[in-house]
Amino acid sequence: MGVSNFIKSTFPNYLSNLPVPDSFGGWFQLSFKDWLSLIPPTVVIVGIGYCTYHTIRGPKCGGTGSCNSSIRRGDAKVVDMIDANNISATSALCRCWKTKSWPYCDGSHAEHNKNTGDNLGPLVIRR
Ligand code: FES
């Protein structure tokens, strides 16, 4: 028996044997064993939903959809220009949007990385 035949013959029987009640009140009459048998398909359905949600949602910054939580939020776009002649020997420019001294890195990325598992860091310019 191939995998295809195994799935086609097993899953319909498995699903039709689940103790899903016909009415709302039937949920309150399920036994402990019935509830246990509903755990695996529930885990699969929730897992598929979770993965689908994260696939559709895409990557987010800070769980809000906005990477910038504090820097010139009133501006339509945050654009900065730095004259290269004014840059000291070494400058670190923030790329994580967490710094308190924009546009320069103040090390705030370290806490962000620690809290999220991210790996953000500055752009370091050397002269
Ligand atoms: S504080 Fe943003 S990269 Fe360091």
Side-chain angles (χ1 to χ4, degrees):
M1 177 189 295
V3 173
S4 174
N5 286 339
F6 174 76
I7 290 173
K8 287 176 183 175
S9 65
T10 304
F11 281 100
N13 292 337
Y14 172 73
L15 294 174
S16 66
N17 288 330
L18 288 175
V20 178
D22 295 328
S23 66
F24 180 74
W27 289 100
F28 299 102
Q29 297 169 352
L30 292 177
S31 69
F32 181 72
K33 185 180 171 190
D34 291 338
W35 282 105
L36 282 180
S37 67
L38 290 173
I39 289 175
T42 302
V43 168
V44 169
I45 290 169
V46 170
I48 290 171
Y50 179 83
C51 293
T52 303
Y53 169 74
H54 282 279
T55 300
I56 292 170
R57 188 186 76 156
K60 300 282 184 180
C61 291
T64 62
S66 174
C67 295
N68 178 12
S69 60
S70 61
I71 299 167
R72 300 191 336 239
R73 292 286 297 169
D75 294 4
K77 184 190 304 184
V78 178
V79 178
D80 297 287
M81 286 196 176
I82 298 173
D83 188 338
N85 295 323
N86 294 337
I87 294 178
S88 61
T90 300
S91 291
L93 300 178
C94 178
R95 295 190 300 177
C96 77
W97 296 89
K98 308 297 179 203
T99 184
K100 305 287 184 289
S101 58
W102 184 261
Y104 298 99
C105 172
D106 68 356
S108 296
H109 61 267
E111 183 179 347
H112 167 79
N113 289 344
K114 181 180 166 196
N115 293 337
T116 64
D118 216 337
N119 62 350
L120 302 179
L123 169 64
V124 178
I125 300 173
R126 284 188 288 179
R127 292 194 61 154

